[in-house]
Amino acid sequence: IARRGVIRSFQISAVFPHLTVLENVRVALQRQLGTSFHFWRPERTLDALNGRAMELLAAVDLDKYAALTAVELSYGRKRALEIATTLAMEPRLMLLDEPTQGMGLEDVDRIKQLIKKVAADRTVLMVEHNMSVVASLADTITVLARGATLAEGPYAEVSKNPAVIEAYMGSADAELKGAH
């Protein structure tokens, strides 16, 4: 699936915690060398990937953290690292599962801007419950309840839909806004 251009990212950050930030991205780029299963080769053969890895880290504003081990990063920066490794696979479609879940406001803003940036030349399908993130990023919103589509369209339209408000707020008199 990944070779066909579909890459997914889950709620829980999936980085190699004891590798450096640079090494995490190099792992994702390693497929390009065609030496993924050449375990006996020296590690320095991966140095050819450093330039592209640093470009990807700069794209997600992590280039200054390249030498840190991933375990030292904040949760939001780990999510940014995960996006960098996802971008290394050159996806046409990115599937993101609640990319801002569990983040503070500073990290939410950083990830929101990052998603907007990487979505410029690819399709991003995202599950997200933070309404401010949804409002700022989504072109089209599909609201599901119990597996059925309640509404679909632009945020301004969907957020005022009485069935959506009833399903998520418990009353059609409420208004969808804020984080959750």
Side-chain angles (χ1 to χ4, degrees):
I1 293 171
R3 286 187 197 119
R4 291 181 173 225
V6 178
I7 304 293
R8 62 185 183 200
S9 174
F10 297 104
Q11 274 184 38
I12 298 169
S13 185
V15 298
F16 295 106
H18 299 294
L19 293 181
T20 67
V21 170
L22 177 70
E23 289 167 339
N24 267 273
V25 178
R26 278 195 336 196
V27 168
L29 290 168
Q30 193 173 347
R31 182 176 66 102
Q32 297 172 1
L33 293 178
T35 59
S36 296
F37 295 104
H38 295 183
F39 302 114
W40 56 89
R41 294 236 171 142
E43 184 179 351
R44 71 178 177 276
T45 61
L46 300 177
D47 289 346
L49 302 172
N50 288 351
R52 179 67 179 137
M54 288 304 292
E55 287 174 17
L56 290 164
L57 289 174
V60 298
D61 200 27
L62 288 179
D63 48 333
K64 59 187 160 277
Y65 301 101
L68 284 181
T69 55
V71 74
E72 297 176 71
L73 296 176
S74 70
Y75 182 70
R77 287 199 170 100
K78 283 179 187 166
R79 294 306 301 246
L81 176 56
E82 195 171 51
I83 290 173
T85 60
T86 299
L87 292 173
M89 303 294 289
E90 299 181 10
R92 292 189 303 272
L93 171 63
M94 288 177 68
L95 306 174
L96 304 177
D97 185 15
E98 296 192 49
T100 64
Q101 179 65 31
M103 290 184 189
L105 290 176
E106 177 186 310
D107 284 336
V108 168
D109 258 359
R110 182 181 299 117
I111 295 299
K112 191 168 47 170
Q113 294 308 315
L114 180 55
I115 292 169
K116 186 177 276 193
K117 184 174 161 182
V118 302
D121 59 353
R122 65 187 44 85
T123 301
V124 176
L125 177 64
M126 181 172 63
V127 173
E128 181 59 69
H129 294 101
N130 183 320
M131 293 299 108
S132 65
V133 171
V134 171
S136 68
L137 290 177
D139 295 325
T140 303
I141 298 166
T142 303
V143 178
L144 303 172
R146 301 182 194 269
T149 301
L150 285 182
E152 188 169 74
Y155 181 83
E157 182 181 304
V158 170
S159 66
K160 292 177 176 57
N161 183 305
V164 172
I165 294 169
E166 179 74 32
Y168 285 89
M169 301 302 289
S171 166
D173 297 329
E175 183 180 331
L176 286 180
K177 62 181 179 181
H180 287 279

